[in-house]
Amino acid sequence: MSIDVIFLGLDGVLFDTEALHLAACNAAFANAELSIRWTLPALRAAAATHGYARAIGSAVAVPPLSRDKRRVAELFEDKNRQFHQAILARPPQAQAAALALIEDATAAGCKICILTDLPAPATGALLERHFGADVNSIFAVVAGGVGFDAPAGTGPYAHALHAMGVAPSDAIAIDTDVPALRAAADAGLWTVSVAAYGKDVVRPRQFITFDALHDLHASPYTPDQQRPAPRQHRVA
């Protein structure tokens, strides 16, 4: 397969943000005077359907709280604020394997892009803390706060690929975020999950290398079993 573009997620792909998300969710619950307190397994269970950035949404998805739109919005806002403050105070380290993938891919002329549902300020803070002024030279596209629920052909992957003049079949998305992977698959990209959760998700035994991407025959990402099976992609 030809690989011209690699889309990398931030949560659990480029950075280990899991502990920061957990602390931010619990702080937001406490500030909202909710009795909910999550453990790591609870966060991962929520992330398995919502992704890490919007995992807190699973806690407010049922009445009566779900009907209080203002309170739900305030909870999300507080969680995002707590997370942003945490990454400024304790910036997470970039994952060595992801950095090696970026180095090998860019040396081969492959474009690296970031599409994430993390808010744009948090996205910028994470990348600038590690890459500094090199962000614009390393990444062809950086977009935070994106939505992954748009119809196929109109979502962030389609827009990014159109801007770069690259066909979906020549691009791959590597992420932990189920909504992001689902959107990428629907847009025709190859997909790889490196999520730490979900027994029904087939994933590489270790973070996939650039050389290994060329050996893919189908996507090793398997969606949750509650959805109708999508068209078959090619398996590692």
Side-chain angles (χ1 to χ4, degrees):
M1 63 174 288
S2 172
I3 304 173
D4 295 331
V5 176
I6 299 175
F7 291 93
L8 294 177
L10 294 184
D11 291 314
V13 181
L14 191 46
F15 297 98
D16 183 3
T17 56
E18 197 172 54
L20 299 182
H21 278 297
L22 179 61
C25 286
N26 283 332
F29 291 145
N31 290 341
E33 298 183 345
L34 297 173
S35 60
I36 305 166
R37 295 295 183 274
W38 276 352
T39 59
L40 187 55
L43 172 67
R44 288 179 171 177
T49 54
H50 291 72
Y52 282 103
R54 300 190 61 80
I56 202 169
S58 71
V60 296
V62 295
L65 188 54
S66 62
R67 292 194 289 264
D68 191 340
K69 304 301 182 185
R70 180 187 61 80
R71 197 176 183 201
V72 169
E74 289 175 349
L75 187 67
F76 270 100
E77 183 179 348
D78 189 29
K79 185 269 173 180
N80 290 337
R81 182 168 52 250
Q82 298 288 341
F83 181 78
H84 196 176
Q85 291 172 350
I87 61 177
L88 293 179
R90 305 184 304 279
Q93 293 296 312
Q95 311 242 48
L99 294 177
L101 172 63
I102 290 172
E103 183 177 354
D104 292 344
T106 53
C110 183
K111 293 181 174 66
I112 306 295
C113 302
I114 302 293
L115 293 182
T116 176
D117 53 1
L118 277 175
T123 299
L126 280 169
L127 293 174
E128 289 165 11
R129 282 289 177 121
H130 185 82
F131 297 101
D134 293 331
V135 169
N136 292 332
S137 61
I138 294 173
F139 303 103
V141 171
V142 175
V146 303
F148 293 115
D149 54 357
T154 64
Y157 292 106
H159 286 303
L161 290 173
H162 178 74
M164 291 183 286
V166 176
S169 58
D170 294 328
I172 186 165
I174 303 174
D175 216 315
T176 62
D177 190 325
V178 169
L181 290 166
R182 199 170 283 159
D186 288 344
L189 282 73
W190 300 62
T191 57
V192 172
S193 172
V194 289
Y197 52 73
K199 63 180 179 12
D200 294 325
V201 176
V202 180
R203 65 182 65 77
R205 292 179 182 173
Q206 58 187 10
F207 196 94
I208 198 161
T209 64
F210 181 66
D211 288 341
L213 295 182
H214 289 281
D215 297 328
L216 289 179
H217 301 295
S219 166
Y221 168 64
T222 303
D224 68 86
Q225 303 305 303
Q226 274 64 56
R227 298 179 81 232
R231 66 185 183 282
Q232 290 297 311
H233 285 267
R234 306 157 276 202
V235 181

